[in-house]
Structures are given as structure tokens and as C-alpha cells.
Amino acid sequence: MAGATEKTPQAGRMGVPPRVADLVSDGLEALADTAPELLDLAERELQGRAERLNLVAASSPTAPAVLAAQALGFSALTAEGYPGRRYHPGTAVVDEVEQLAVVRAELLFGASHANVQPLSGSMANLSVLLGLLEPGDPVLAMDLSHGGHLSHVSRPASLAKHLEPTYYQLGEDGTLDIEHVREKARTSRPKVIICGGSAYPRTIDFAALRSVADEVGALLVGDISHISGLVAAGAHPSPFPHCDVVTTSTYKQLRGPHGGLVLRGPDSRVAANAIDAFVFPGFQGTPDFGMLAAKAVALGGALEPGFGEAMGRVVRYARIFAEAFTSRGLSLVGGGTDTHMVLLDLRGQAVTGRDVSRALEAAGILANKNLVPNDPRTPQRTSGLRIGTNHLAFMGIEDPDVRDLAEGIAQLVLDLEADRRPESSAVWHRLAAQVTALVAATEREKQPVSRRTEGKEGIEGIEGVAA
Ligand code: DSN
């Protein structure tokens, strides 16, 4: 390995052990030889990201150290089971990786047990639901078109063929109507109630949902994928002690890799070893240890005070958007927001969610079309537009910038409603210019970090504690 000897002096910089540095740099060299087209695609993707504002509510900016952790080679190992109880040899090191992620997850959420192996949030949900329920068992979940999630036994999901799902809807005001959930529970007698969703902007009242679960003898499962960062930071009430089992994805708000967690509180009626068995061998085989390393980094980052401060900005920015919309007479599902999300309700208007999403994308802003409760339009057109503030909160921008942006988007919606084409709308042009200015300022901020070859931040980045 002549190459390794040559690279060693440089590899020691930033506190990165030489073998690790070689792995990454040799891998990149090999990629340049064998799949240069992928490097071109990666460069294009990074360039595109540097030119856009991401307001997709189901995402957060993946921490650079998280991306690096995934490339450390841990994924190359095959091993089923849990630390100290594996079915394959050679796992002493990855046992420690997994343990690190487990301890950080428990600490972050005040959980008494964490399973960090689910390959996605959906797989965390499927593991738990299939583990807790027998074929044909009744289960109560939020209607997909009212903000629920596909993996909550929604009709299009295969799981719905194996269980007996009933769905609860939102009330007229677009908020959770506990008496309606209670009524549905009384008639369907579910064994499990699942709460949390993908497009619900208000606070989830876990305590009230637990009272419903208790009345009908059901277990309560809470999927906090969209709000896990807020929960971790205390900016949204905790699902504990009310939920027996809590699931979350790790990328939506935790800046982590695509992956999931299953958590249990001290008072849960589901045992820790049962939860582990639901995931493996119940649903998955070998975990991805690279993903577990990346989860450990993200969870470490979320334990830092800076993350809590960012979650405060997430909520504040979302309120700025809500105010910009409602003050212009535009409707929001739930009337406003308590979280990172606003869901614009365009029912009764000519403009669709798809129209707005396309016009925004052309101006360099990503925000997805979304169904709203009782939507007369199809999922391809929709009457909703979902906006999230997770990315903005980590960009280092100020409240007035967010206000300008929110007011620009609100005004654009009114322009589109008035049948103006984006290109003939002065508002659209202003918005596009604003995006360019905002991302240019952020990129300038980032320059010293991305170009840095040594220094404190580099070391912290690698260790993942300041991600
Ligand atoms: N659950 C989807 C969403 O909220 O957009 C992404 O997984």
C-alpha cells in the first residue's frame, strides 16, 4: 500500500486517525476511477442545494459530521443481534458504536430504553405495530389525508391488509378532536392507538390521547418523527409518560441519517426486551452500523445547547410564516402552528398546492404540495402547501429575513390566485432575488468551514458533538 504511506502525514490532520483518513480518500479516488458519473451527480446535487432554500417540513440539514460518520466503514460489517448478544463474530467495536447511540437516545428523550436499529422511521413503526398486534387486530390511527402517515396502517400501505384499521379525522377547525377520537375508539375497540403524523402543525395532546387509550384498554404508540427535535429540546410536550412506545425517524428534525428509533419510557406497559424482539428478529436482520454511527453523531449534536436554541428558532420562524399568511386572509390547517410546520389550506381557491409548489421551486424554494383535511383535489394537485422551518433555523439568518421571505411567499400565493403567471409577477421575481441573496450569504458564512483543513471545528465535527 504505497499510497497509504504517502498519505499518512496529511491524514493525521484534524485529529483524524491515518487509517480512517486513508479509507475516505482512497474511496474517493476509487470512485473517481470507477464511477466518475456519480461524483458529477454529487457535485451537481451539492451545487443545487447551495442555490436553493429548503422548506420541506420532513427534513433537516444533515450535519456534516453525520455524513462523514456514515463513510467510516462500519456499514461493511454483518452482525445480527444486540451488543453482547450477537449471532456473528467480530463485533466488539460496533457493539460500542451501537451502545453510544443507545445511551445518547435515552439521554436525549428521557427514555428508559432505546432501540436504534430500525432502518427507517417507517420500519420502526412496522416493527412495533406488527410486534404488538396479531393478524386482524383492530388499530386506530390518524387518517392519512388528515395528516397521518403511510406507515400508520393507512389504506395504501400493505399493513392495512393484515390489521383492522379505523381512522380518526381532525375536527372542523383542523385540530385534533379528542371526543371524536374517543368515539372512534369506543366503537372500534382498538388494541393500539397510534398518534403523531406528517402534516399536523399543532401540539399533540399525548395526555388526552392516553386517557382515550386507557378507557378502551389500548396501548398508545406515538410517532414523533416530525417533532422529535422539538420534543428533545422541550419545545413540544414529551410523549412520555403517556405513550407506551415512541418511534421517530432520525433525519426529519434531528439532522441525522435516514433511519429510525424505538423508545420506551420508564412507565411503559411494553417491556424493553419485547421492543428489541419486535425489531430483531421480528422485522429486520442485520442493522447498518454506519447508520448507527451517524445516529450517535446526530443524537450527540441534539444534546448540545445550540440545538435547543435552533429549535426555538424553528418554532418562532413557523409563527412568522403563519402570521404572514393569516394576515393576508389565507387559511391554515389548524388555524396556525405550534411546531416547525404551517399547512396552507387552499380549498375554495383557484390556485392549487401544486401550482404554488412549482412556482416556488422555479424561484429556488422547495416546499411540497400536500393534501389538507377533506381535500376535494387529488394527491397530485392538492389544496395544501406544507412549509417547514427546520433548515432556516440552521442557516444563521435573522427574523426580518424570515419575515420578508414569508410575506413574499404569501403575496405570491395571492398573485397566483389572481391568475398571474410566476414570470409576470413582480413578487415572484423579488422572491427569486431574495433566495439568491439569502443562500449567497449563507454560503459565504460556510466557506471558512468547508475549506478549513485544520482547527477546532474540524475536530468537533468529526467527533460529532457540535454538529
Ligand atoms: N413522511 C413523509 C413526509 O412527511 O413528507 C416523508 O417521509
Side-chain angles (χ1 to χ4, degrees):
M1 281 264 293
T5 328
E6 280 158 26
K7 284 177 197 129
T8 301
Q10 184 184 352
R13 296 208 316 214
M14 296 194 301
V16 182
R19 211 181 291 270
V20 174
D22 283 351
L23 174 83
V24 176
S25 63
D26 289 355
L28 282 172
E29 266 177 41
L31 207 49
D33 278 346
T34 57
E37 61 277 32
L38 269 180
L39 290 180
D40 288 342
L41 288 172
E43 181 62 23
R44 268 174 54 201
E45 173 61 18
L46 291 175
Q47 177 66 31
R49 272 185 221 168
E51 292 168 355
R52 296 190 299 248
L53 274 183
N54 190 337
L55 302 184
V56 173
S59 72
S60 56
T62 317
V66 165
L67 296 173
Q70 282 184 288
L72 294 181
F74 293 121
S75 296
L77 202 90
T78 298
E80 288 172 340
Y82 291 100
R85 300 178 280 139
R86 302 283 186 197
Y87 292 84
H88 300 78
T91 62
V93 172
V94 292
D95 278 6
E96 286 191 43
V97 171
E98 180 162 350
Q99 212 43 59
L100 188 63
V102 167
V103 167
R104 289 180 175 183
E106 290 172 355
L107 200 58
L108 186 65
F109 292 103
S112 64
H113 182 69
N115 187 302
V116 297
Q117 292 194 1
L119 295 167
S120 70
S122 291
M123 291 207 189
N125 286 334
L126 293 176
S127 302
V128 168
L129 293 171
L130 287 170
L132 290 174
L133 296 162
E134 297 298 323
D137 269 352
V139 54
L140 180 60
M142 189 192 264
D143 196 318
L144 182 62
S145 64
H146 283 239
H149 190 257
L150 268 174
S151 64
H152 297 186
V153 208
S154 73
R155 277 286 168 229
S158 303
L159 190 58
K161 290 189 289 196
H162 304 284
L163 298 171
E164 190 53 56
T166 301
Y167 307 104
Y168 55 88
Q169 288 78 28
L170 298 181
E172 278 301 309
D173 63 355
T175 66
L176 211 50
D177 174 354
I178 289 296
E179 289 320 306
H180 163 76
V181 181
R182 197 183 305 282
E183 201 45 48
K184 288 269 175 165
R186 280 179 183 156
T187 50
S188 64
R189 309 302 295 182
K191 288 202 176 156
V192 166
I193 298 176
I194 181 159
C195 60
S198 272
Y200 188 66
R202 306 304 320 218
T203 300
I204 297 172
D205 188 344
F206 294 113
L209 286 155
R210 175 61 185 260
S211 78
V212 176
D214 283 347
E215 187 181 322
V216 297
L219 293 169
L220 185 62
V221 173
D223 177 351
I224 59 166
S225 290
H226 264 270
I227 53 169
S228 51
L230 301 180
V231 167
H236 186 288
S238 171
F240 297 127
H242 313 294
C243 293
D244 294 288
V245 184
V246 171
T247 60
T248 181
S249 64
T250 46
Y251 71 94
K252 282 193 169 83
Q253 204 167 43
L254 294 175
R255 307 192 69 193
H258 281 258
L261 306 175
V262 183
L263 306 161
R264 165 194 194 276
D267 307 316
S268 169
R269 293 168 290 179
V270 182
N273 59 4
I275 286 175
D276 284 348
F278 294 163
V279 177
F280 170 83
F283 193 69
Q284 288 184 184
T286 189
D288 177 343
F289 293 101
M291 181 199 277
L292 299 196
K295 284 176 185 172
V297 174
L299 293 163
L303 282 162
E304 291 292 309
F307 184 83
E309 289 158 18
M311 290 301 110
R313 290 194 292 279
V314 161
V315 175
R316 199 168 74 237
Y317 292 174
R319 288 192 182 134
I320 291 175
F321 272 94
E323 162 70 17
F325 288 133
T326 52
S327 66
R328 283 166 179 75
L330 294 165
S331 300
L332 298 177
V333 172
T337 181
D338 304 311
T339 63
H340 62 306
M341 181 195 298
V342 294
L343 183 54
L344 189 58
D345 182 354
L346 299 167
R347 282 175 305 166
Q349 297 192 216
V351 67
T352 68
R354 182 173 66 185
D355 297 334
V356 184
S357 175
R358 283 181 175 170
L360 288 177
E361 187 170 2
I365 298 172
L366 305 182
N368 66 285
K369 61 185 183 231
N370 212 97
L371 287 175
V372 295
N374 308 311
D375 201 323
R377 295 186 170 111
T378 65
Q380 281 308 323
R381 296 183 76 222
T382 80
S383 302
L385 181 87
R386 192 180 62 166
I387 286 179
T389 54
N390 294 336
H391 286 262
L392 292 180
F394 288 96
M395 280 180 67
I397 59 178
E398 307 287 337
D399 288 21
D401 295 321
V402 179
R403 193 163 293 112
D404 281 352
L405 182 68
E407 289 178 353
I409 293 175
Q411 199 55 49
L412 176 66
V413 174
L414 298 179
D415 262 27
L416 295 175
E417 179 68 15
D419 209 20
R420 282 202 194 99
R421 320 281 332 143
E423 50 284 6
S424 60
S425 153
V427 174
W428 183 86
H429 286 280
R430 253 201 325 275
L431 206 48
Q434 195 190 358
V435 171
T436 306
L438 277 179
V439 295
T442 311
E443 283 302 302
R444 266 198 306 280
E445 284 282 304
K446 275 191 345 208
Q447 281 292 327
V449 177
S450 59
R451 297 284 145 89
R452 188 165 34 229
T453 52
E454 54 194 347
K456 188 168 173 292
E457 289 82 352
I459 294 170
E460 283 175 346
I462 293 294
E463 290 172 347
V465 290

